[in-house]
Amino acid sequence: MKIQLYNTLTREKQEFHPLTEENVRIYSCGPTVYSYAHIGNFRAYLFMDSLRRVLKYNGYNLKHVMNITDVGHLESDADEGEDKMEKAARKENKDPYEIAKYYSDIFFRDMERLKIEKPEIIAKATDHIKEMIEFVKGLVEKGYAYETSRGIYFDISKLDKYPVLSNRKLDEQIAGARVDVDEEKRNPYDFALWIKAPENHIMKWESPWGLSYPGWHIECSAMGRKYLGDEFDIHTGGIDHIPTHHENEIAQSKGLTGKIPAKIWMHVEFLQVDGGKMGKSLGNTYTLDELQAKGIEPLAYKLFCFTAHYRAKLNFTFETGLASQKALMRLREGFVKQQEGTDEIEESKIKEYEDKFLATINDDLNMPSAMGIVWEIIRNEKQSKQFANLLLKFDEVLGLDLANSKKYLEMAKEIDLPEEINNLIEKRKQARLEKNWALSDEIRDELKEKGYIVKDTKEGMTVEKV
Ligand code: AMP
Ligand code: ZN
């Protein structure tokens, strides 16, 4: 069946045809691992996961790369400010590599909790310095890049067209632009490919331009090219990537290979919190742990994300999050009822649902409508294993772990815990987050003494009264 995907490049939905029969090649901009990923970030990876799952459901094999940015992402996308990794390292008094390892581990743990499939290739920026230097060298040789005392810059005036992805009007923006940081730049919108390291910069490498480090945009271009070639099928990211990061990735690739690297560019809209922007200073950049502490499971957050199309804004409040938690429990109960049902359903009815579901997800990943079909089946007056099996099939796309519904329901039935026990459990969760295994074990023993057994399962911690 045909798949329609919205392409930011052409600003329309278009029919998807992979470039080769073998694999659909996808590149997704991944996290900068200087801090905990928040629920806004995870909206982006949930979208990425829906795309993966829909393509696989349609029978495609994937070669999907996601990067881990562990160097070079400056505080502002416009080449200003400190490297986010270095800043975090200074603040936490740790080595930037330790910071990267710590936050990447938590990121992948959270991906698992959301049942987000891991892309086939995870590419860490610091493992690909050689490829990046080669890329920059190529651009210098072809006359697309030049050296200043601060680094190597891309000369946008050498391109036939810039920008191509966004509707940015450079002249207007230049008029209102902030004062440039580098007066040696030829054009205000030239951007850094490679940055010469100041004395106190920790992450730096030998290069033809001395001790230095990569710019954020070159990381994705070089790693995408290494694993997926000069041209691949789909590139994903958040809408914030459109005007700078992806625009500049395209510029770099056009400079080196003459090609826009991906055929389709897909972008997920932002998650808002309490009707406004998320921000560290606003104190509303919630993590999955913070949601969980308020009784909202990661999978309930996923279900919440399915209430809006990926190209629509979505507003999170604890109230709507808790409503999704209730909905998730109802979904599990409904699924178990279907599993235990004995009604006979005509095959044509099953087929009808199947076709409708496929047409819906293939229409630019319309997850809210797909969930509408799921609820229709759950609420059907007939109850049947055939419906349960159909829902399990749909769950290949949804990734809501419906197969374990019974287990989740049993876990939820566990007794209300006294405050003292709850506090100990929270303390233990924090200890585990900080990889303080000794403290975690100590608290487990204390809980045991008080008559509660904790078990650590893939889905999280469970507590039972002895
Ligand atoms: P970062 O780790 O800052 O590079 O961001 C990781 C991903 O999260 C990027 O794809 C961003 O576009 C995306 N992102 C950041 N904030 C939000 C948000 N509030 N809603 C949706 N996606 C977001
Ligand atoms: Zn990127």
Side-chain angles (χ1 to χ4, degrees), residues 324-379:
S324 291
Q325 178 66 43
K326 279 199 186 137
L328 180 63
M329 296 314 271
R330 277 206 310 277
L331 186 62
R332 288 168 174 161
E333 281 160 11
F335 173 77
V336 171
K337 275 192 189 149
Q338 296 292 359
Q339 263 184 324
E340 291 165 356
T342 51
D343 288 331
E344 272 296 317
I345 312 294
E346 276 177 37
E347 270 312 312
S348 62
K349 186 74 200 159
I350 300 285
K351 178 86 176 61
E352 198 184 302
Y353 276 130
E354 224 166 4
D355 291 348
K356 216 164 119 188
F357 184 82
L358 183 63
T360 305
I361 56 170
N362 282 3
D363 179 13
D364 196 26
L365 323 179
N366 192 341
M367 303 312 283
S369 294
M371 279 314 298
I373 299 167
V374 168
W375 285 114
E376 203 181 306
I377 297 169
I378 290 281
R379 292 195 188 112

Side-chain angles (χ1 to χ4, degrees), residues 201-263:
H201 209 268
I202 306 164
M203 298 173 118
K204 52 192 167 194
W205 292 264
E206 280 298 347
S207 78
W209 316 284
L211 278 175
S212 43
Y213 62 96
W216 174 38
H217 319 306
I218 200 70
E219 300 180 2
C220 289
S221 291
M223 294 190 283
R225 184 167 187 243
K226 172 172 177 174
Y227 295 106
L228 304 176
D230 288 347
E231 261 183 320
F232 49 90
D233 296 291
I234 306 173
H235 198 312
T236 78
I239 45 153
D240 56 325
H241 289 154
I242 301 173
T244 308
H245 184 52
H246 287 174
E247 201 65 80
N248 293 348
E249 274 190 48
I250 292 176
Q252 292 165 161
S253 293
K254 275 178 74 179
L256 191 74
T257 70
K259 290 175 183 144
I260 293 180
K263 286 279 169 208

Side-chain angles (χ1 to χ4, degrees), residues 296-309:
I296 303 164
E297 283 174 59
L299 290 179
Y301 176 65
K302 182 180 212 172
L303 194 62
F304 166 77
C305 285
F306 290 160
T307 60
H309 187 263

Side-chain angles (χ1 to χ4, degrees), residues 188-201:
Y189 278 87
D190 287 355
F191 56 89
L193 296 164
W194 204 259
I195 305 158
K196 295 181 184 172
E199 191 70 18
N200 61 348
H201 209 268

